[in-house]
Every structure is written in C-alpha cells, then in structure tokens.
Amino acid sequence: MRTLTVTTLAAAGLLCLAPDAGATRAGSHLTVTGQASQLRPVVGAVETVRWTVTNTGDGHLDHVRLTASVPASWTVKDGPGCTHAGSYLRCELGGLDAGHRVSVNVPMVVHRPLGAVQLRASATGSVGRLSVPGPETAFQVFVVARR
C-alpha cells in the first residue's frame, strides 16, 4: 500500500467556567492522519482511505468523533460503522485514552472527475461536558482514466 500521511495537531487548554467542572482542563490534544491506498486511483477502482485519530495529550477524551469527506460522485463501498450523511461520513469512535489511537478504513469506488481530488477529515472529543475541538487535515489523490 502506497501511503501519503498528513498530520495536523490541535491543542486545547480549556478553562471551564461551570461550577461543578473543576478549574482548568489542559492537556487534551488530538491529531488526525490520512492515508490513501493509491495516490493515483483509476476510475472504477476501490480507493481505501484510512483515517487515524490519536490522543497525544495526557488525559482521557470522551465521545471522540471523526467527520470525513466523501468526494462528489464517489460511492462508499462497505459501511465502516459510520453514518453517511450527504458528502460526509460521521464516525463515533468512543473514548480515547492518552497515547492511544483509533483508525477507520473507508473503501470508496472512484468515479470522475479526473484530476486532483481532495480528501479531508476532522476530529473532536470532549472532557466531561466540554467540547475539545480537534484538527482538520486534508490531502489529495490524482484520479486517472487508466494506467
């Protein structure tokens, strides 16, 4: 599998003003990486994109979610356990301990247009009732008619 990996880091040192939530919630960090099975997929082929969310902070995150784009006219082949809503997949990944990661493989049938197609994803999580905004990352594959 040829891969292109792009990493984006978002750090959130959050101050919580809710009386029952404690003072500062620091150390919650997420990264999102994406890998394509083919950097030059052929129309009609199956392109599998692996999105990986990693908790690089020092605390547990609850309700980690991944939102990944589905390029226009591409078809998700097998449901990876995510909800398909329009041009996005929304994946509930659950809790994620510090230093751990979780991946989702998204197989899609490649359709036109030919040329560069951007794939993007973002992640969020929560600490208690506080939302921890995560990063967004993107990379491109180049769709070709044939090899």
Side-chain angles (χ1 to χ4, degrees), residues 38-116:
Q38 304 169 63
L39 295 178
R40 296 180 60 83
V42 175
V43 172
V46 174
E47 171 76 282
T48 301
V49 176
R50 172 183 285 239
W51 295 109
T52 301
V53 178
T54 304
N55 179 351
T56 58
D58 57 10
H60 178 82
L61 289 170
D62 295 313
H63 309 292
V64 176
R65 291 171 295 283
L66 174 78
T67 302
S69 65
V70 176
S73 79
W74 288 27
T75 307
V76 176
K77 185 173 189 280
D78 300 311
C82 302
T83 303
H84 193 186
S87 61
Y88 291 94
L89 286 176
R90 290 187 175 84
C91 308
E92 296 292 331
L93 304 177
L96 196 55
D97 288 331
H100 288 92
R101 72 178 135 230
V102 62
S103 296
V104 175
N105 289 324
V106 181
M108 296 175 278
V109 177
V110 176
H111 295 287
R112 295 186 184 271
L114 298 177

Side-chain angles (χ1 to χ4, degrees), residues 19-38:
D20 61 341
T24 302
R25 304 280 184 152
S28 299
H29 305 271
L30 289 171
T31 63
V32 177
T33 59
Q35 295 178 327
S37 60
Q38 304 169 63

